[in-house]
Each structure stands twice: as C-alpha cells, then as structure tokens.
Amino acid sequence: MSSNVESLYQEIILDHYKHPRGSGALAGASGESHQVNPTCGDEVTVGVDLDESGHVHVGYEGQGCSISQASASVMSELVEGATLADMAKAERAFVELMHSKGNAEPDEEVLGDGVAFVGVAKYPARIKCALLPWMALQDARLKAGIEIDKAEG
Amino acid sequence: MSSNVESLYQEIILDHYKHPRGSGALAGASGESHQVNPTCGDEVTVGVDLDESGHVHVGYEGQGCSISQASASVMSELVEGATLADMAKAERAFVELMHSKGNAEPDEEVLGDGVAFVGVAKYPARIKCALLPWMALQDARLKAGIEIDKAEG
Amino acid sequence: MAARLDVPRIRKDFPILARTVRDDRPLVYLDSAATSQKPTAVLDAERAFYETSNAAVHRGAHQLAEEATDAYEDARSAIAGFVGARSEDIVFTKNATEGLNLAAYAFSNGTDKSRQGHSIDPRFVVGPGDSIVVTEMEHHANLIPWQELCAKTGAELRWIGVDDDGRLRREDFGLIDATTKAVSVVHQSNILGTLNPVEEIMAQARSVGAVGIVDACQSIPHMSVDVVDLGADLVAWSGHKMLGPTGIGLLWGRTEILEAMPPFLTGGSMIETVFMESSTFAPPPQKFEAGVPMVAQAVGLGAAVRYLEDVGMASIADHEHELTGYALAQLSQLPGVRIIGPTDNVDRGSAISFVVDGLHPHDVGQVLDDRGVAVRVGHHCAWPTCRRFAVPATTRLSTYLYNDTTDIDAAVEGIVAAQEFFGVA
Amino acid sequence: MAARLDVPRIRKDFPILARTVRDDRPLVYLDSAATSQKPTAVLDAERAFYETSNAAVHRGAHQLAEEATDAYEDARSAIAGFVGARSEDIVFTKNATEGLNLAAYAFSNGTDKSRQGHSIDPRFVVGPGDSIVVTEMEHHANLIPWQELCAKTGAELRWIGVDDDGRLRREDFGLIDATTKAVSVVHQSNILGTLNPVEEIMAQARSVGAVGIVDACQSIPHMSVDVVDLGADLVAWSGHKMLGPTGIGLLWGRTEILEAMPPFLTGGSMIETVFMESSTFAPPPQKFEAGVPMVAQAVGLGAAVRYLEDVGMASIADHEHELTGYALAQLSQLPGVRIIGPTDNVDRGSAISFVVDGLHPHDVGQVLDDRGVAVRVGHHCAWPTCRRFAVPATTRLSTYLYNDTTDIDAAVEGIVAAQEFFGVA
Ligand SMILES: Cc1ncc(COP(=O)(O)O)c(C=O)c1O
Ligand SMILES: Cc1ncc(COP(=O)(O)O)c(C=O)c1O
C-alpha cells in the first residue's frame, strides 16, 4: 500500500469503521435528518436533542464506506454530551479541515480522533463521504431549532 | 471578377434574371405549390395545368436571388407548352445537373438555357436556389395529379 | 479609454485567419455574429484535457475523474467570474438555444405538473389569460420556444414592436402587464445590431411579477456584461460566439429562480435519490446538467474567457465601437445601399445588416465570397424582423477583436464590385 | 473469427494511456463504460476543422460555411453507415440523455398540443389509463424522463423486473399491453453488463402499437449494431463512449416516426417559415437540431467511427468477449467477491459489477486508484438496480479495445490488496 492511501485510511479511521462508537438511533430526538451522497448512495440518519442542562445528545444510523461510517462514529464521540459551544467548535473545525486540501494541522483538543481525517481532504470524492454525517447533524439541529450562533454568544 | 463567379453567373442567367420569361400566376391552375428556402427566405409559387391535348402550362411568381429567379424563368421556358414526356426529361436533367458538382456536360437539346446553370452546381448554398422552382413544379404537378412515370410509359 | 488592440498580433493567435479561400484570396472573416473563430489557446486547452485528464466528471473516484471534475468546475468559475456571477448559478448547455428552451420548458413542465397535483411555484404555471412578451427583433431561438409554450398552454404571445430606426417601440413596453408570466428579450440584436434597454424592460417584468429572461448571445462576447446587473432572472448565451468551442452554451440564473424551476433534461448526475417510482433532484446547477456534460468544451471555453480577459473586454468593446463607426460611415456613402438597423453608432453593436438596391443579398454575398470576404446573407434566424422591414433577407457584416478597417474596406469594395457586375451601380 | 487486435499498437494511438497516476503508477483505465479515451485521429480531426473550416453550418453562403457544412454532413453519413442507417434518420444531440429526453418530450409536447386542439399523431398523446414500460435495469437517463412524462400526464410507469442472475424477467414482458404508448429499454446494461433481447421486446411493442425506444449507449461502441434490425422506432446513444469527443450523442429514428414526432428544442435552423404568430418546421433531422450544432464534435465523432471501422467492430467484440471471460473467471476465483449481473459469458458485455464482503465499493475503488487502476464505484446511475440487488453500490470494471488481460490482472491484484489492507481477506 502506498503512503497516500495509508494517510487516507489512518489506523484511527479503520478502528472507528470496525468498531463504531455510539451508533444507533436516538430515541425521542427533537431533530432528525437523513442525508445521502447521490454519487455513491452512502446514507446516514442523525438524530439530535438538547437536554435541560444544555448538553447535546446524538444518535446515528447509516450505511456506506469506511470514511463516512468512521466519520459518523467520530462525530458521535465528539458531540455526544458536549456543550453547544463545544459542538459548534467541533463542527466548524471539521468542515474547515475538509476544505484544507490536506495541508491543515488540526487541533486535537477540538477534533479528537477527527484529526485523523486530514488525509481525506486530499481526495475530493471522499470529502463528501466524511462530511455526510456532519451535514446530517447540522440539518438535524436546525430542525430541532438548535442554533450554534446563539450558543457561542 | 474571378472566373469562378463568372461561370456561376453566366450571361444567360443574368439575362433571365433581368428579363424573366413567362412570369405571372397561371389562372385556373389545377395544382399550385409555394416553396421557400428557409435559409434565405427566397420564395416561389408555381401553378401547373395539363390541357386536353396533353401539353403542360405553367405560371410562377416569386422573389429571391438571381439564381432562383432565373431558374424559374428557364423552367417556364422549358415547360410551358411542353409534352408531359419533355417536361419529365427536363425536370430530371435539371435535378441531375444540380447534383453534378459542376462536372456535367448538360444536353442543350433537353435543357435549353438551363445548361447555363452548370456552374451553380459548384456552390452548395446556391443549388437550393436553382432547384426551388423545380421543387415547386414537382409538388404542384403532384397536387394536380400529373404523374411523370405514366407520361413516359 | 482602454488600451488599443494590437490586431496584427491577435490575428496570429487564430490559425484559420491565415488561410486563403477561393482563388488564393486571403480570408476576410466578417461573420463572427454567426460563430467566432478560435485562438490556439482554446484548441490547446481542449487537447491537453483529452490527452491528460479525460474522464466522466462528478462520478468517478479515480484520479482522472478528480482531475476532469476540477477542470470542469474551474472552467465554470472562470466563466462565472467573467460575467460577475456565482459559479453555482452557471448552467452549462449545448448552445444558447438549449438555455432558452430550458427557460420556456420550465413553464410548460410546471403547468403540466401542477395540473396533475404536484406542488409547483405558481410563477411557472401558465394558461389562457396569461401572456408572454418578446420583441419583434428576436432570434428564432428566443421566439419559437415561446410560441411553442403558448401553443401548449393557451397563453397569449405578445411582442414589442420595432421602429423604422431598428429600435424597440417604447410605447409597447406597456404590453408587459399583470397578465404577463415571462418577458424574454434579446440584449443585442444579431440582425439589426441594436443594443436594447434590457435593464428597463427587466425592471418592468419584475414590477408585474413576471420571470425576466435575456438573450445575451451578441452582447457578452463583445462587451463587459455583469449578468446580475441586468436585473433578469435568467440570461442565456453561447460559447462558440466568444472564442469557445462549438457545442457549449451557458445559462445564468438567480439562485432562487434556479431552485424554484422544475428540471428540464433529466437523467444521470442531476439526481438526489432515485427509486423506480420517483426521484428527487440535486440542487442547481447540477439539476440542469443531465448526462455526461460537454467537459472538454467547458475547458476550452474557460481558456477562451481567460484569453478575452487578457486582451481586455473594455479594449475589445472600444475597438469594435470604432470599427462599427467606420463601417457605418463607409456604407452610408455607397449609393443604393440601405442599412437595416440603427445608423447612428449609439447603443448598437458591430453587426450591420444592409440591402443593396436591385441586388439580392445572396448575390451580394456571392460576389463578396468570391473576393474572400465571408459575410452572412439571409434572414439571420430573425425572419419576422426582415418582414418588419419588408426585405426578404439582408447581407450582414459582423466583426470581432481580430478585424480591422482593412476588412471593412474589402467588404465595401466587394459591394461596389457587385453593383458593377450586376449593372446596378 | 475476426482478426485479433494488436492491443500494444492500438494503445499507442491513445496518448492518455501513456500517462502515470498517483505515485508514478502506470494508468490502468477500466472505466470506459463511463467514457472512453480518444485516439489522436479524433483529436486531429477536431483541431483541423477549427484551424481550417470553422463556420456556422447550414447558414452561410461563403466558402468556410460550405466546408463546415460538408464536414458536418460527412460525419453524419459516416455515423449513419456505421449503424446501417440513412443519414437523414440520424439526429445529433449533446449526449444520449438528450436523445432519450427528446423521445419522452415528444409525448408530453404532443399531449399538451393535442389538448389545445392542434393536430397531433395519436401515438404521442398520453394520459391516465395509458402506460409506459421500462425495465428495472435502466440507467437514470432512460428512467427519469419517463417518470417525468408520467408525472406530467397521469400515465402509469411499469417496469420489467430483473432476476437474480441479472436477466430481464420474461414473465414481465406481458406488462406491454394495449394500454402501452411507449416501451423504452436498455440494450446492454451499464451496471450489470446484461445484453437484453431488445428485438423481442420491440416486436412486442410494435404488436400493441406502442413506440419502441432502445438505449444503445453500451452496445453500439462495443459490437456491430444495425439500428434498423433492432426493430425499434428510436435508438439513442452517446459519442463520448465510442472514442468520440465529449458533448455529442446520437438519436436514430425511423423516417416515419421522426416525421410524426413534434419538435423538441426549437429555434434557428429547425424551421421552414417563421412569423411572429407561429412557425412551421423543417423535415428531420433538421427539425431536431435547433441552434448552432456541435460541429467540431460531429467531425471528431466521424473520425472515431472511421477509426473503429478500420480496427473492425467484429474484432473489437471478439477481443472484449475474451477479456470479459477472463475477468469473470478471475473474479469468480476470489473469495468474498460476488458478481452483480450475469456470471456466464453469454449475452453480456464487458461491464462487470461486483461487491466484496466486508468492504464498501468506495474503499475498493480507492485502493485500486492508489495502484493506478481506474474503475468506477457507486450506483452507476442505475440506483434502482442496486436496490434490486440489495447493495448500496458496486465496483465496476469496464474495458474497451485498448485493454488486455494485464489490466484485468492489475484490478484483481488490487482487490486482493484491498481485502488484505482492510483485514477482510
Ligand atoms: C441573438 C441570438 N440568439 C440566439 C442565438 C442562438 O445561439 P446558439 O446557436 O448558440 O443556440 C444566436 C446565434 O445564433 C443569436 O445571435
Ligand atoms: C446505458 C446508458 N444509458 C444512458 C447513458 C447516458 O449517456 P450520456 O451521458 O451520453 O447522456 C449512459 C452513460 O452514462 C449509459 O451507460
């Protein structure tokens, strides 16, 4: 295997793919979104809720390639139980990372295992895969009326 | 003027253009056809009739370039008063001449002044002009139920 | 005043201009309103694409597919930048005609679907009692699609007339009223050369809630146009008239309109999800780009736009304005020659139509051709405009950045020669 | 048995095949079902056209316009000859998708016009109670236009199912009945590789008076097809999949059908006479070619057809049949690999889809790409077919005249490497 493909499929990604964290629908989600990647048919459904103490809860189900599935798992790890502000930070950082063309130095504090996706940004066709669960999260929280901007104010 | 354009616009053609023979609608035509050249808007209407003695009568009206107008005039000269067989011969010979790419040696016996159109066949865009009145004649005589094949039998 | 064009240097970029025609006459190309010639930079860009990155775009996950997609989308950005638009609002079509049909079909498709109970933006539902407004100087491409729409829906077609000088009759602007669903107008006439006040007409369309469409085929290649500033909802034009390859055109639309419009051509690449029973569609511009697109042609057109920007659109416009003034002056001096269209060099482009007393345009064109001068004769796909001026056809000169006054002189000499040859001088 | 192909010699005609991808890996192109690569002869023909004869066709009276028109029409004849058709029955489109939409729009336009009292051939008038029949293995390009037609008219969409081997369910052919107005079927599936008995299906369409349409995108490039012999009314396919440029496709129609069909795109060059109120149309094929057409692309495609004829379609078909047999055998030996589509090398083309246990197609494709092997992953614009086989997507190998067994070997090695890398071997 070349170094390229190894930088794409970092160990952490493969681990999340094989052992997804926090998968499963969220019972009683206040917002839910189903997203598909029309090019390859990858699908993910994300449900989201905000509890009384201001913490976010997420659940997800889906099928797709290693990148989209691992991304969902990492997203769940980062967002489940996070404050609104932390979720917002992670969301922004991940989207930015995906648009970096692979030249970013992501902040592990904010992105946790998400830093492993840096190599994905070099493959345009895979960026969509990695972003799919995050797009679903964004859409789900908008449906739930959870707005990030307020959270950060 | 180059020899090309002079072979296109032979004296005879210019003469027919300036002094059209037999122009005017045919009163009581048993078939009439209006043809246009959609590329340039040239128009011609030909009316045709067959008298009891088996002779053809034609009339035409139109507007257009020197080639289409001269062609109508020559057609009228050839066809007016001709037998069905002679009209058929002229029609065939003229159409053939137009598809000759300018390499034919047309028969003056059959085509009369029509032989002057040999240079036109070198200019694809003008062939349509020259054929316009003949197409109208063909259509008009079909409408009048005048069939050439029978005539020749 | 923008920098003057170095025409001899520019001509070197267009290999075809060095050829001869008929008996070894140098080619004088005055038919750019029909289609423009192509600089080497455009041909090279297309070829390089085929030789290095050719693949289906937006579909593959391999390196060629990535490169092809990048090349295609880079071209879209370059073109968007050229007309002051967002990339997402630029749709690739095969020619301007497809873009104008796409606009007209939004209404017939919308009407059909709404009749069957589907939810459709009411702007795209038309029927008896509604009207569509065009002008009497439209190219067939911006007339027949609307005739067809009316034939299919029972809507009424209205048109703004043309006065004797070849200008739109302002008193007819009032035809745009509360019944009007679409107003589609040519920016610059390809037969008369007239530059129309489309901003004003589009404002009127907006004021009655009608969809406003501009046919910019003859303006965008020749002057700097900001499509957003026109105030239209949709703007269509061709690539082949602006140094690009054949087989490519453009449609710009306001984001909101493109989103509201029903799709036109349907198939691969324009979908979101597909079931046997029904499908949902991708957002614009993909929604309007079904099938494998004109990838190499887009890449070529991107190179054309960069070439035009390097030369400078302001310089091109100035140059052509000067040339047009020169041609109008020369033609006016010829006895027996009548210009069809504006004779003053104000709000007009470089296409100049004329008729010669006693001579049919075909015969004028033939003599010019014999001298190596390529012009167009006929109704120029604007037959009703010919009827308006009671001429069966016209002869038309049209220039571009590679023409200069010697080309106009060659045409003028040819006209005189034709008059002599046919004995009408 | 036709002459064997000299693949190394053929490869020299395709400059892109000499390039490397990723870390200097030689390119192994196995994505010709998406789009084919182009030989130098095609690129040269296009370039020569632009450098010597570029002009608008069917319109000008000057020498360039004559040459351009000849080049365009010569290309039409060459293509017509290639598929056993008359030139007049060949319509140039921008891609196959446009051709299939043209067919579907004949029905919606016909229905609309007939409702408004225009006289329309009743074959093109549809409504509730009528049916349209397709199959479950259609490319989106031959599915969504018919879904749209049904959405616009209230007609019912029916489809012939696919069995577990990837063959059409013959018991469903009975869906074509007295209510059927159109039957549109893919000749060779781009996802399964299946070659369908279209002659039989078209005969059934004929017997009930329905218009029969064949999507020949994947057959005509790879085998000798006589379009008339298929027994269809209309046949659509792409130029870019048969060595031609992007941006061009073809629609063949029986003379009588093309004459009876209402026009689709309207505008310049497709007219007979035009008034502001209404217009009449030119005979086919012009009736369906509005606007400045894809002239250079037609010329390029003409060269492609001549290239294919020189190599010999029978030889190409034999070569690909052998390669397909080889690939099927190799893939069947790989544990964990399941072919989606016919596994026997009978009545099938060279597109082979498969899934690998425990691996998503995207990941398989990525590892192959990393090794220089270009394949396509996804639903291949045949999403319902994927659903039928309960797979979200597949990986697809597809070959052409420039591939040989070493390309298949490279793909097979890549699949094994992917299994190892992801630990599913
Ligand atoms: C004003 C105008 N509109 C529309 C068209 C049609 O453009 P196209 O041939 O690219 O479809 C043309 C050119 O032919 C034109 O000049
Ligand atoms: C079977 C089939 N039909 C239709 C199409 C669409 O062809 P095009 O992209 O040329 O419109 C394709 C290829 O993409 C195909 O394989």
Side-chain angles (χ1 to χ4, degrees), chain C residues 370-392:
Chain C
D370 189 58
R371 304 167 67 91
V373 183
V375 298
R376 180 138 170 232
V377 299
H379 50 61
H380 313 285
C381 299
W383 206 333
T385 318
C386 288
R387 297 191 206 283
R388 158 65 185 83
F389 286 93
V391 294

Side-chain angles (χ1 to χ4, degrees), chain B residues 1-6 8-9 14 17-18 36-43 63-67 123 125-126 129, chain C residues 22-23 25 358-360 362-364 366-367 369-371 376-380 383 387 392-393 417-418 421-423:
Chain B
M1 232 20 64
S2 81
S3 60
N4 275 335
V5 87
E6 283 177 351
L8 169 66
Y9 294 118
L14 293 182
Y17 174 45
K18 286 176 196 162
V36 298
N37 181 342
T39 341
C40 60
D42 280 5
E43 302 185 41
Q63 60 168 4
C65 66
S66 57
I67 304 294
Y123 294 88
R126 307 310 292 271
C129 307
Chain C
R22 304 298 176 203
D23 294 319
R25 304 277 187 152
L359 278 186
H360 190 275
H362 244 198
D363 294 317
V364 178
Q366 192 80 51
V367 172
D369 171 50
D370 189 58
R371 304 167 67 91
R376 180 138 170 232
V377 299
H379 50 61
H380 313 285
W383 206 333
R387 297 191 206 283
F421 181 74
F422 284 94

Side-chain angles (χ1 to χ4, degrees), chain A residues 2 9 38 42 64 66 123 126, chain D residues 360 362-363 366 370 379 422:
Chain A
S2 81
Y9 294 118
D42 281 5
S66 57
Y123 293 88
R126 308 311 292 271
Chain D
H360 189 276
H362 243 198
D363 294 317
Q366 191 79 50
D370 189 59
H379 50 61
F422 284 94

Side-chain angles (χ1 to χ4, degrees), chain C residues 95-97 139 141 186 190 215 217-218 238 240-241, chain D residues 59 291-292:
Chain C
N95 53 22
T97 302
H139 188 281
V186 68
N190 70 307
D215 171 354
C217 276
Q218 298 291 344
S238 332
H240 64 90
K241 292 190 208 282
Chain D
R59 294 188 180 179
V292 169

Side-chain angles (χ1 to χ4, degrees), chain C residues 199-316:
Chain C
E199 295 85 347
E200 192 182 329
I201 300 171
M202 289 300 120
Q204 182 132 357
R206 240 181 0 260
S207 75
V208 300
V211 176
I213 300 126
V214 171
D215 171 354
C217 276
Q218 298 291 344
S219 53
I220 288 178
H222 299 280
M223 59 195 255
S224 180
V225 174
D226 182 308
V227 287
V228 181
D229 287 352
L230 298 179
D233 292 301
L234 297 164
V235 179
W237 73 102
S238 332
H240 64 90
K241 292 190 208 282
M242 55 190 285
L243 311 187
T246 58
I248 189 153
L250 289 317
L251 180 74
W252 169 86
R254 286 197 305 110
T255 314
E256 177 272 322
I257 276 280
L258 292 178
E259 279 165 0
M261 281 164 77
F264 173 43
L265 299 174
T266 59
S269 299
M270 55 74 71
I271 56 99
E272 186 186 54
T273 40
V274 181
F275 293 86
M276 282 310 293
E277 294 80 4
S278 69
S279 307
T280 58
F281 307 120
Q286 271 69 43
K287 180 165 82 175
F288 298 105
E289 295 185 358
V292 169
M294 302 65 68
V295 194
Q297 292 73 37
V299 170
L301 186 55
V305 152
R306 282 180 206 106
Y307 183 92
L308 288 170
E309 282 173 342
D310 283 351
V311 176
M313 287 309 293
S315 300
I316 293 172

Side-chain angles (χ1 to χ4, degrees), chain C residues 59 291-292, chain D residues 95-97 139 141 186 190 215 217-218 238 240-241:
Chain C
R59 295 188 180 179
V292 169
Chain D
N95 53 23
T97 302
H139 187 281
V186 68
N190 70 307
D215 171 355
C217 278
Q218 298 291 344
S238 334
H240 64 90
K241 292 187 207 282

Side-chain angles (χ1 to χ4, degrees), chain D residues 3 30 57 95 123 145 157 224 237 240 284 297 299 348 359 374 379 424:
Chain D
L30 289 170
V57 298
N95 53 23
R123 285 174 295 179
L157 186 69
S224 181
W237 72 103
H240 64 90
Q297 292 73 37
V299 170
R348 71 141 29 252
L359 278 186
H379 50 61
V424 298

Side-chain angles (χ1 to χ4, degrees), chain A residues 78-101:
Chain A
L78 287 168
V79 170
E80 173 57 36
T83 62
L84 264 189
D86 284 347
M87 174 184 79
K89 255 198 212 156
E91 190 179 303
R92 292 233 174 86
F94 195 84
V95 171
E96 202 176 284
L97 179 63
M98 285 305 99
H99 292 126
S100 70
K101 311 215 148 138

